[in-house]
Amino acid sequence: MATANERIPVLVTSQEKALIAKMARDAHMSMGEFLRRAASSFRPSEDEKMLEGMIDQMLKTTAQASAAVDDALSFVDTSNKRIAAMESGRVY
């Protein structure tokens, strides 16, 4: 493994630094090692593809759920009309 000897200055807020420090401590590694691993595992195009797939699936599922709710509401409306007709002595 090559020895790290290059610097990349990165400005962060004090809150971001505290969060990164905590995450590094929780992972039992230095902040430098934590950030190197995070940077090396980041794949924007793969992440975007995965997110797009998740969004597509969410949209499909939402449409299915919406259709099911519409069907249920229609069924309830029809049932309420039928019950009202039966209670009033009419046949529906």
Side-chain angles (χ1 to χ4, degrees):
M1 183 167 162
T3 303
N5 59 4
E6 296 288 331
R7 290 186 175 269
I8 303 173
V10 178
L11 295 176
V12 296
T13 66
S14 58
Q15 292 87 1
E16 290 169 328
K17 183 178 178 182
L19 178 60
I20 293 168
K22 180 184 181 332
M23 292 168 65
R25 268 192 318 275
D26 291 348
H28 305 288
M29 60 181 76
S30 69
M31 284 178 51
E33 181 64 18
F34 180 81
L35 291 171
R36 278 190 293 278
R37 288 187 187 190
S40 69
S41 67
F42 182 66
R43 304 281 184 265
S45 62
E46 292 175 15
D47 291 343
E48 287 176 12
K49 287 179 187 175
M50 182 173 46
L51 285 173
E52 287 173 3
M54 292 169 66
I55 289 169
D56 287 343
Q57 185 61 44
M58 182 192 68
L59 292 173
K60 289 177 188 174
T61 303
T62 301
Q64 291 171 344
S66 181
V69 168
D70 289 344
D71 288 347
L73 290 173
S74 177
F75 179 81
V76 168
D77 185 50
T78 301
S79 293
N80 285 341
K81 288 177 182 175
R82 187 174 53 247
I83 291 168
M86 289 174 15
E87 287 175 346
S88 68
R90 297 177 306 197
V91 177
Y92 186 75

